[in-house]
Amino acid sequence: MIKIPEILLEKAGEVEAYYKAACPDMAPFVKQCFLNTIETTVKQLEDGSYFVITGDIPAMWLRDSAAQVRHYVRYAKEDKELQEILEGVIQKQTELVAIDPYANAFNESADGRGHQDITRLNPHVWERKYETDSLCSPLYLAYHYWKETNRENIFTEGFLTMLKLVLKVFRTEQNHESSPYSFQRQHCAKTDTLINQGKGRPVNHTGMTWSGFRPSDDCCKFGYLIPSNMMAVAALTYGAEILREVYKNNELAMAYTGLAEEIQDGISDYGIVERGGYGRIYAYETDGFGNYNLMDDANSPSLLAMPYLNYCSREDELYKNTRRFVLSGENPYYSCGSFAAGIGSPHTPKGMVWHIGIIMQALTSDSEEEIRSCLSMLSATHDKTYFMHEAFHPGNPSEYTRPWFAWANSLLAELLITLKEKDFFASV
């Protein structure tokens, strides 16, 4: 789609050479997965911005697009061409949030493609499933890019408008019953629509912010999705720093900090339960009335991904308890087979495991044995494609969904880069 910056070709070669020597089983994945996003999903538009499709769907998800380019950010300081691309992605995300902060996926142009649901429609919008993490993801990408490059030119008036919209929506959804948002889809699986005339199940006031849908694009059972609220706490903290340091807007920064504290208090007061054999763990969802959904989904933000999202440390006791739960048969979406074991999702057929879940397990582990086990499972379940899929059957890896899934490929590349940077195999 576009000319690949030389630095990405160079770094892909360096990582591949490392794995040929250190872990030959993973070497064939490196260039394919490292370059998959830039080779197949990124397109420059006439206005200079960059549009990033999710893979086999011709639309741009705010969450996916941020995740797809995340592993390139660490190289941006060294290369002007890569800076242009990443800044163009940030510009596009900023524009898309301004079009509709409740939408999760967008068209390249206002051509009306996508789902025609019962909600406030816009020809720019592919799908209008409100997901809290969709508003967090652009803040994560911009913040990490800023910290890596020290380039503040991404923080435009348009970006400030986005920051104000994020605050407004998160505040509104603390009191969802008064929100203007509703969503209904006809003639679909029940996970693709919201009950109660598109408003979802009633929720109590907790301080947390409501989400209609999970990062899998499935509807929430209970409206306070704990991993997304965790991501919101971190994203709001990033936003507050940007507002103070770059925009010198202390008033808005304080509003961001205050909201992060309210959401954190809500997580602490309403999001933790006692589970026999595990102690105190985080729930996946709650309604604030005492109802809980104890599970985890492979899609990030997830409970497994808490340290990856910079919400807590790997040594946090609540995280360790929760991790043991979600990586066990007590999690209804954890499955085992002769080739692999890991977290799946109700978004795909029962009993399937997601590559993203196995990769996230490795990214959040301090155990050399566990990381090696994850690498072995990844190398045994790609069905000779050397790409990551969405979900696969752990007893028959030739049975899988989505042969082309750029987010999963990028996440694997990030894992391989991270292990190389730590020189992981030198200590194994």
Side-chain angles (χ1 to χ4, degrees):
M1 285 190 174
I2 61 172
K3 179 181 178 295
I4 300 175
E6 286 297 323
I7 194 166
L8 295 184
L9 297 172
E10 174 189 329
K11 296 299 181 181
E14 289 178 6
V15 178
E16 182 183 53
Y18 173 82
Y19 278 90
K20 283 182 176 178
C23 184
D25 285 349
M26 299 307 297
F29 291 91
V30 174
K31 282 188 176 178
Q32 289 209 144
C33 292
F34 186 106
L35 298 172
N36 183 241
T37 283
I38 199 72
E39 284 183 331
T40 62
T41 69
V42 182
K43 177 182 180 181
Q44 186 174 25
L45 305 183
E46 290 183 1
D47 65 357
S49 66
Y50 283 78
F51 193 81
V52 184
I53 64 172
T54 188
D56 54 359
I57 302 173
M60 180 169 172
W61 265 254
L62 292 172
R63 171 190 55 254
D64 292 46
S65 59
Q68 284 166 239
V69 301
R70 174 174 166 138
H71 64 299
Y72 298 147
V73 172
R74 57 185 18 95
Y75 308 121
K77 188 175 183 179
E78 306 173 45
D79 190 86
K80 295 293 185 184
E81 288 182 348
L82 185 54
Q83 289 171 13
E84 177 187 320
I85 293 169
L86 293 174
E87 290 173 13
V89 173
I90 293 168
Q91 175 191 337
K92 178 53 64 179
Q93 290 183 332
T94 300
E95 294 168 358
L96 297 178
V97 172
I99 289 170
D100 188 348
Y102 281 97
N104 58 320
F106 296 84
N107 297 314
E108 182 180 320
S109 61
D111 56 15
R113 299 178 69 187
H115 298 279
Q116 303 301 308
D117 300 309
I118 302 172
T119 187
R120 193 191 74 184
L121 296 176
N122 185 306
H124 285 277
V125 172
W126 173 272
E127 188 172 58
R128 195 173 187 253
K129 290 179 173 178
Y130 175 61
E131 301 164 4
T132 302
D133 66 278
S134 292
L135 293 181
C136 299
S137 296
L139 290 182
Y140 266 70
L141 178 60
Y143 180 83
H144 291 308
Y145 180 81
W146 172 44
K147 288 299 178 179
E148 190 66 47
T149 66
N150 293 317
R151 289 175 62 81
E152 297 183 353
N153 56 308
I154 58 173
F155 299 125
T156 61
E157 281 301 309
F159 195 93
L160 181 59
T161 297
M162 182 182 74
L163 290 173
K164 293 176 180 177
L165 282 170
V166 170
L167 181 69
K168 179 181 178 181
V169 172
F170 283 179
R171 281 280 186 209
T172 297
E173 297 305 331
Q174 285 181 300
N175 300 282
H176 176 61
E177 71 275 7
S178 62
S179 167
Y181 177 78
S182 65
F183 179 95
Q184 295 177 80
R185 179 170 293 171
Q186 297 177 312
H187 313 300
C188 65
K190 65 180 182 179
T191 53
D192 272 330
T193 190
L194 293 177
I195 64 171
N196 190 23
Q197 296 182 310
K199 298 293 286 187
R201 287 185 173 89
V203 291
N204 194 12
H205 294 183
T206 66
M208 287 185 284
T209 191
W210 177 90
S211 189
F213 292 84
R214 302 167 179 170
S216 62
D217 300 330
D218 290 344
C219 66
C220 293
K221 181 177 182 180
F222 302 124
Y224 295 125
L225 181 57
I226 304 300
S228 288
N229 275 275
M230 292 169 167
M231 191 177 187
V233 170
L236 289 166
T237 303
Y238 294 155
E241 184 177 344
I242 293 166
L243 287 161
R244 284 194 307 270
E245 299 292 327
V246 181
Y247 290 102
K248 311 300 182 185
N249 190 329
N250 289 326
E251 181 180 357
L252 194 54
M254 288 176 64
Y256 258 62
T257 300
L259 179 55
E261 291 173 352
E262 290 175 29
I263 294 173
Q264 177 55 50
D265 287 346
I267 295 171
S268 299
D269 292 341
Y270 293 90
I272 301 169
V273 296
E274 188 78 27
R275 179 73 175 191
Y278 298 94
R280 282 159 49 85
I281 67 171
Y282 288 106
Y284 186 70
E285 294 167 340
T286 186
D287 58 5
F289 291 118
N291 297 305
Y292 297 96
N293 188 8
L294 301 185
M295 57 166 280
D296 202 18
D297 189 300
N299 288 269
S300 179
S302 62
L303 294 174
L304 183 64
M306 281 188 264
Y308 176 80
L309 298 171
N310 202 28
Y311 175 76
C312 68
S313 76
R314 300 175 187 181
E315 297 307 310
D316 181 273
E317 284 300 317
L318 272 169
Y319 174 68
K320 289 196 294 185
N321 292 347
T322 306
R323 181 186 179 90
R324 286 192 299 113
F325 170 79
V326 302
L327 291 174
S328 78
E330 295 289 309
N331 175 6
Y333 299 103
Y334 185 86
S335 298
C336 301
S338 54
F339 288 88
I343 300 173
S345 170
H347 190 69
T348 47
K350 186 174 176 60
M352 289 192 130
V353 172
W354 282 50
H355 279 133
I356 281 178
I358 296 174
I359 300 165
M360 190 60 71
Q361 182 180 347
L363 279 167
T364 54
S365 176
D366 285 325
S367 165
E368 293 180 354
E369 181 181 357
E370 183 178 21
I371 292 169
R372 290 197 72 167
S373 173
C374 290
L375 292 174
S376 294
M377 289 189 287
L378 294 170
S379 67
T381 57
H382 58 93
D383 196 35
K384 301 179 182 178
T385 66
Y386 294 99
F387 282 120
M388 297 290 92
H389 307 308
E390 180 185 51
F392 65 92
H393 194 291
N396 179 19
S398 63
E399 182 183 335
Y400 58 83
T401 64
R402 296 187 73 174
W404 187 28
F405 194 23
W407 178 12
N409 292 324
S410 289
L411 196 66
L412 177 63
E414 183 175 357
L415 171 62
L416 297 179
I417 294 165
T418 300
L419 295 178
K420 176 183 178 296
E421 289 174 347
K422 295 178 177 179
D423 202 9
F424 169 81
F425 295 96
S427 60
V428 174

